[in-house]
Amino acid sequence: MARRRKNRFPERIDNVTITGLADKGFCVGKTPEGMTVFVEDVAPGDVVDVRPFRKKKKVLFTAPLRFIERSAERVEPFCQHFGVCGGCKWQHFAYSGQLREKERIVHDAFRRIGKVEVEQWDPILGSENIEWYRNKLEFGCANRRWLTTEEIGTDIDNEVPVIGFHKAGAYDKLIQIEKCHLQHGPSNELRNGLRELAKELNVPFFDMRERHGLLRQLMVRTTTTDECMLVVAFFEDDRERITTFLDAALERYGSQISSLYYCINPKVNEYLMDLDMVHYAGKDHVTENLGHVHFRIGPKSFFQTNTKQAEKLYAIARDYAGLTGEENVYDLYTGIGSIALYVAEQCKSVTGIEEIAAAIDDARENARQNNVSNTTFYAGQVRDILTDEFARKHGAPDVLITDPPRAGMHPKVVEMLLQLAVPRIVYVSCNPATQARDLALLSEKYVVERARPVDMFPHTSHVENVVKLRRINL
């Protein structure tokens, strides 16, 4: 007879006080005995009884069973899909509280991970808009919709075409989104209209389990210049049906579509940036402004998702750089040259490095379009390009700006920064944990003079942080 496994965790834990926000929609909770647990679907200030459902590295992840007290900072969510769609986890928590918690998360990362001292903390910069702030969204298309717990067992039919977002953690479960409050412009009307159009034309929606069908994904880009780019991903290269659908879309929504592309995605994953994009109609780009700089944005261009807040983020970075017009600046992980072009008029020269070749093509074209002649861009891995020989060729930098991906800078890049001993470094990060790690490594030659968190994504756990580093006089 098989032995029963002992429970790895208790069935319930009572009187958990929620003390702060954590990652991926969870909150941090403390038991009366001082044990830390993570709790979903709660807010700081709540007191709850919880049910553990997962244990990871000795930490319990739990769900609320009963609310003993509710936080005074709770607010009414504005979106009809809140609690089902996993996109905006903190709509039920006051924005002032979100900012306080995000600021704490950055400070804690510096203290715990990097053990980094900051000479001056500037206050977190909140987003002017907490709705309608995104300029890009990607939606999945499927031949059946996900049913909520309440809908299961009712006469609601799930065998209907859907365009929306994946349920968190489920590749084959798609939530029909009627109205999303994230993206401005024609995004909602276009998404819902294309769903109805595909149904009228009997275009088969993608089956995520059996892997057949045609209509698979939509990507919508909107701009503050009132332009809209639509990218439609199909599962199969059925040219006749694709042409019929896209022509009908242009006939019905052509006045709202500035640029139309399509691609074929037969892969298991939904990543689009490695696919060939076919320009079908309209312009081959849309235009966006960041302050005095105009950017051409194509279907594969990386661009900060919150345009208005990105301008403020770059203004902070430029202020921290302390430019006078005479500096030789390096811009690492430059993307389409957004920061490089933003600061170019206030320095002598800017040299940007980015691993994605298509982004560098965009950077060079954006420089040309803006009549900026003091920038040079290189495509390749930063760790391979940034060498002694590179510094000799372009001159030692007076200021270095770095904006790496979430994983932070490669150790070889950190070593090279220490070797270059640049007088000032401005480090822009979307991940305070890896930023704190890198700053600890740089502390051999640098002190953190100033730091300021910036909230780019209200109602989520994400937060950016800008740091100014000053070289120690050795």
Side-chain angles (χ1 to χ4, degrees):
M1 183 175 177
R3 296 174 61 184
R4 290 185 60 186
R5 292 179 61 187
K6 293 180 64 176
N7 286 337
R8 292 176 296 165
F9 37 72
E11 291 186 1
R12 64 181 290 155
I13 302 172
D14 293 338
N15 283 303
V16 176
T17 300
I18 308 304
T19 59
L21 298 182
D23 197 18
K24 298 179 180 179
F26 284 88
C27 281
V28 179
K30 288 282 189 182
T31 70
E33 296 76 28
M35 181 175 70
T36 299
V37 296
F38 288 92
V39 190
E40 63 182 5
D41 301 330
V42 292
D46 287 342
V47 181
V48 290
D49 298 337
V50 301
R51 172 185 58 82
F53 62 84
R54 186 169 77 242
K55 188 175 184 180
K56 185 177 180 181
K57 295 182 180 179
K58 299 183 180 180
V59 176
L60 289 178
F61 291 83
T62 69
L65 282 171
R66 182 175 71 98
F67 284 83
I68 301 168
E69 294 180 24
R70 292 187 181 267
S71 170
E73 293 185 286
R74 278 183 170 268
V75 295
E76 189 66 28
F78 50 78
C79 179
Q80 70 191 79
H81 303 293
F82 176 76
V84 179
C85 166
C88 301
K89 293 289 191 180
W90 306 121
Q91 278 187 29
H92 64 304
F93 187 50
Y95 189 55
S96 58
Q98 293 181 35
L99 293 179
R100 181 190 68 241
E101 288 298 313
K102 290 187 179 190
E103 191 170 54
R104 178 192 58 77
I105 288 169
V106 176
H107 288 212
D108 285 353
F110 276 45
R111 281 193 297 266
R112 292 186 300 101
I113 300 172
K115 297 179 174 55
V116 175
E117 294 293 330
V118 179
E119 291 183 349
Q120 178 181 325
W121 277 108
D122 294 324
I124 188 170
L125 179 66
S127 179
E128 178 182 344
N129 300 315
I130 62 173
E131 296 181 58
W132 319 114
Y133 61 81
R134 288 186 65 101
N135 55 43
K136 175 188 169 188
L137 282 178
E138 294 185 25
F139 302 95
C141 308
N143 61 348
R144 64 174 67 88
R145 66 178 286 257
W146 178 75
L147 296 180
T148 65
T149 303
E150 293 75 20
E151 291 172 334
I152 294 174
T154 69
D155 58 359
I156 295 177
D157 183 14
N158 77 322
E159 298 291 330
V160 294
V162 54
I163 300 180
F165 296 130
H166 286 273
K167 184 181 182 298
Y171 82 94
D172 62 342
K173 295 180 173 63
L174 210 62
I175 300 162
Q176 172 63 28
I177 300 296
E178 301 297 338
K179 181 179 181 180
C180 177
H181 291 252
L182 286 175
Q183 189 173 30
H184 59 86
S187 180
N188 283 305
E189 181 182 352
L190 195 58
R191 180 187 67 257
N192 291 326
L194 291 176
R195 174 174 172 261
E196 295 306 311
L197 178 63
K199 289 164 60 179
E200 291 172 21
L201 296 174
N202 293 316
V203 175
F205 283 60
F206 186 54
D207 188 308
M208 296 181 180
R209 295 176 183 172
E210 303 298 327
R211 298 190 59 74
H212 59 75
L214 187 64
L215 189 60
R216 184 171 183 183
Q217 294 158 267
L218 300 180
M219 182 174 76
V220 182
R221 288 185 183 269
T222 55
T223 72
T224 59
T225 59
D226 294 325
E227 293 185 317
C228 175
M229 174 181 285
L230 172 66
V231 178
V232 185
F234 299 97
F235 180 61
E236 301 170 337
D237 193 2
D238 186 338
R239 199 63 53 88
E240 183 177 349
R241 300 184 86 166
I242 289 172
T243 300
T244 299
F245 176 71
L246 294 181
D247 286 346
L250 286 170
E251 182 178 351
R252 188 171 296 186
Y253 300 105
S255 62
Q256 297 175 310
I257 302 172
S258 310
S259 176
L260 176 60
Y261 281 82
Y262 79 88
C263 62
I264 309 301
N265 182 14
K267 303 180 301 175
V268 173
N269 66 65
E270 296 188 342
Y271 184 68
L272 298 179
M273 296 301 107
D274 57 350
L275 299 173
D276 292 331
M277 296 287 173
V278 180
H279 179 227
Y280 194 81
K283 302 196 304 179
D284 65 354
H285 67 280
V286 290
T287 303
E288 186 57 283
N289 299 332
L290 273 181
H292 59 285
V293 186
H294 314 293
F295 290 93
R296 289 167 54 100
I297 300 173
K300 293 187 179 183
S301 297
F302 169 78
F303 195 78
Q304 284 282 1
T305 313
N306 185 337
T307 304
K308 292 183 177 180
Q309 195 71 343
E311 183 177 348
K312 296 177 182 179
L313 177 77
Y314 294 166
I316 293 170
R318 185 179 60 189
D319 175 51
Y320 279 13
L323 302 174
T324 65
E326 300 300 320
E327 290 82 9
N328 182 26
V329 178
Y330 286 5
D331 181 28
L332 309 186
Y333 312 95
T334 191
I336 63 171
S338 47
I339 293 180
L341 295 171
Y342 192 81
V343 304
E345 68 174 10
Q346 292 187 311
C347 61
K348 182 180 178 181
S349 63
V350 187
T351 304
I353 305 173
E354 165 62 42
E355 68 174 271
I356 300 174
I360 289 299
D361 291 339
D362 288 338
R364 290 168 180 157
E365 179 60 24
N366 285 322
R368 189 185 70 80
Q369 291 284 329
N370 286 275
N371 297 314
V372 176
S373 58
N374 64 337
T375 57
T376 305
F377 295 103
Y378 289 87
Q381 294 285 350
V382 175
R383 65 177 181 267
D384 297 328
I385 293 178
L386 187 64
T387 61
D388 289 330
E389 183 181 351
F390 183 89
R392 285 192 296 271
K393 178 179 178 180
H394 293 281
D398 303 298
V399 176
L400 185 141
I401 301 171
T402 181
D403 186 5
R406 287 189 61 81
M409 294 190 293
H410 191 277
K412 287 185 178 179
V413 177
V414 176
E415 289 175 14
M416 192 60 200
L417 296 193
L418 289 170
Q419 188 174 324
L420 287 172
V422 187
R424 290 191 301 283
I425 296 175
V426 178
Y427 189 154
V428 182
S429 173
C430 59
N431 187 344
T434 56
Q435 185 184 43
R437 177 204 67 201
D438 291 345
L439 294 179
L441 297 173
L442 289 168
S443 64
E444 176 184 329
K445 289 188 178 180
Y446 290 91
V447 294
V448 179
E449 187 174 312
R450 295 176 69 182
R452 186 171 197 183
V454 179
D455 184 26
M456 304 288 287
F457 302 106
H459 317 301
T460 76
S461 58
H462 300 293
V463 60
E464 302 260 339
N465 192 50
V466 189
V467 162
K468 177 181 180 180
L469 295 161
R470 183 182 72 249
R471 186 183 65 199
I472 302 169
N473 292 322
L474 300 175

